[in-house]
Amino acid sequence: MTTPFPASATATNRRSWLDEALRRLEADVNRSADTHLLRLPIPAVRGISLYLKDESTHPTGSLKHRLARSLFLYAICNGWVREGTTVIEASSGSTAVSEAYFAQLLDLPFVAVVPRNTSPAKIAQIEFYGGRCHMVDRASEVCSEAQRLAQACDGHFMDQFTYAERATDWRGNNNIAQSIFDQLAQEPHPVPDWIVCGAGTGGTSATFGRYVRYRRLPTRVCVADPEHSAFFAGFRDNDPKASVSRGSGIEGIGRPTVEPSFQPTVIDRMIRVPDAASVAAVWVLRKRLGRACGGSTGTNLVGAIDLIAGMMREGRRGCVATLICDSGERYMDSYFNRDWVAATGLDIEPWCERIDGFFATGVWNGDGLESAAR
């Protein structure tokens, strides 16, 4: 039986509400096992292992489950979210789904501000957890409209793009970085040479970068960025105002501007990955791993392959770890639909041959990728 929240708004009962909210969040974690770390064999490569942290097994099906929980903890402990507070987020993707889940867990109203062209499937996922979608005409308006709504209803704009890097406990507490290192402890190479991730808010790359420095580990962090994203140029040119003219074609990662949570100083390398390569990679991965993964996982995989190829050229042994960000079941009408792929003008076959060829022969052609390092 669920413990009821206290009804009174006195200071004492506000603390009682906070205590009960934190108990529910902690209980939710206790009900969930840690996500698996999978080893993906590369038959042609000796002495270097590739691991995939499968974040698709969270209750809401994606890496953003961790972020949403951290954002709620941060907002509650700061006193920004209290009993009855309407929580508002600017997101039409996995973050909104995960935040709707936690809002429902805490009996809080939730509104996702989304572009009007958001797919019905995504809206249905948000609404499944009791969330409501508020439409805007242009994607560029979602943050300003979320802020306006929060002010109008005395609610709280969660603002993932600002708070992601500071809400996550990067020192440990079973965060994603600590979890990977714990799971690698009995492997032939327990300390990875590289950890590869994408950047949507920048919170995950900040967690990895800070954690390895805090633990004095030699592991380096690489962000694999889709082609239509400002993060790569911001990193390469040390330009926090870098921007691109169109949105990312790979859902969940890449942004038209450099977001406040993106911390380039804790990143060692970035690799810009063409969208055709990202989509091709998930087609190859489905065959090699036996499951479908989202497009951002494909971006990560291409970045990991490029780094492994570099280690081979240098004659090094070791391992690389990256992330399965979400399941490909959400993308059967897009990335895994050949008509959709053709309509977007992506030629994935040459990249499929390259990526599959790397697994079979160990030979890698990285033409088309762009890399920058600090």
Side-chain angles (χ1 to χ4, degrees):
M1 180 175 177
T2 303
T3 303
F5 281 118
S8 174
T10 66
T12 298
N13 282 314
R14 280 199 298 270
R15 285 297 297 270
S16 296
W17 184 92
L18 182 149
D19 291 346
E20 173 60 16
L22 296 181
R23 187 199 66 78
R24 291 190 186 188
L25 291 171
E26 289 169 3
D28 182 76
V29 172
N30 287 340
R31 291 193 298 269
S32 304
D34 197 3
T35 60
H36 298 297
L37 186 68
L38 310 177
R39 185 175 179 273
L40 181 64
I42 308 176
V45 176
R46 304 292 182 185
I48 304 174
S49 300
L50 174 60
Y51 298 89
L52 306 175
K53 179 73 164 164
D54 186 5
E55 294 292 283
S56 72
T57 58
H58 283 295
T60 54
S62 81
L63 170 65
K64 298 300 186 181
H65 192 84
R66 293 182 189 267
L67 172 60
R69 178 177 179 270
S70 293
L71 288 168
F72 269 92
L73 284 170
Y74 192 70
I76 290 169
C77 290
N78 276 319
W80 301 338
V81 169
R82 300 178 179 179
E83 180 184 7
T85 299
T86 298
V87 177
I88 299 168
E89 185 59 281
S91 169
S92 61
S94 295
T95 302
V97 173
S98 297
E99 287 187 16
Y101 169 90
F102 284 108
Q104 185 181 68
L105 182 72
L106 300 174
D107 296 336
L108 297 172
F110 178 75
V111 179
V113 180
V114 304
R116 198 170 299 281
N117 62 356
T118 299
S119 71
K122 289 183 180 176
I123 292 172
Q125 284 186 303
I126 295 166
E127 292 177 343
F128 176 79
Y129 291 116
R132 178 172 67 84
C133 292
H134 177 88
M135 308 290 184
V136 295
D137 291 327
R138 291 180 290 276
S140 60
E141 299 173 339
V142 292
C143 288
S144 59
E145 181 63 7
Q147 185 65 60
R148 187 194 69 78
L149 285 178
Q151 291 173 347
C153 70
D154 195 25
H156 175 64
F157 173 30
M158 200 66 93
D159 196 1
Q160 58 169 326
F161 297 110
T162 296
Y163 293 107
E165 57 89 11
R166 66 193 75 173
T168 303
D169 188 353
W170 51 268
R171 295 172 185 84
N173 193 25
N174 196 35
N175 65 24
I176 191 170
Q178 183 182 43
S179 177
I180 286 177
F181 279 90
D182 287 349
Q183 291 173 319
L184 284 171
Q186 302 303 319
E187 298 299 311
H189 304 283
V191 178
D193 291 69
W194 289 96
I195 290 177
V196 182
C197 63
T201 61
T204 300
S205 58
T207 299
F208 282 129
R210 289 165 171 166
Y211 182 85
V212 298
R213 285 160 174 78
Y214 180 63
R215 296 295 180 184
R216 301 187 298 279
L217 297 165
T219 301
R220 290 173 288 177
V221 175
C222 175
V223 170
D225 205 36
E227 63 179 290
H228 301 292
S229 172
F231 289 133
F232 181 86
F235 176 85
R236 180 194 60 200
D237 303 333
N238 195 27
D239 180 10
K241 295 185 178 180
S243 63
V244 294
S245 59
R246 55 160 286 186
S248 171
I250 305 300
E251 294 188 32
I253 57 173
R255 294 290 295 166
T257 59
V258 179
E259 301 294 348
S261 276
F262 182 69
Q263 303 295 308
T265 54
V266 301
I267 298 166
D268 300 286
R269 180 181 295 273
M270 287 194 70
I271 298 174
R272 176 180 275 167
V273 179
D275 288 353
S278 296
V279 176
V282 295
W283 280 76
V284 173
L285 188 60
R286 182 165 63 169
K287 178 175 67 175
R288 295 277 174 180
L289 190 64
R291 70 179 68 180
C293 303
S296 56
T297 303
T299 310
N300 290 341
L301 179 61
V302 174
I305 288 172
D306 198 57
L307 293 170
I308 290 170
M311 292 171 65
M312 293 171 61
R313 289 192 297 270
E314 297 168 5
R316 291 167 50 201
R317 294 174 175 265
C319 78
V320 174
T322 189
L323 308 177
I324 296 175
C325 301
D326 61 358
S327 168
E329 299 304 318
R330 296 179 173 182
Y331 307 101
M332 289 300 161
D333 292 333
S334 54
Y335 304 132
F336 291 100
N337 183 319
R338 287 197 177 274
D339 291 338
W340 181 92
V341 172
T344 60
L346 297 177
D347 184 7
I348 68 171
E349 293 307 324
W351 280 105
C352 284
E353 292 177 6
R354 283 201 226 178
I355 296 165
D356 216 17
F358 175 76
F359 281 91
T361 68
V363 176
W364 176 239
N365 176 2
D367 291 350
L369 306 182
E370 189 175 353
S371 179
R374 289 190 184 274

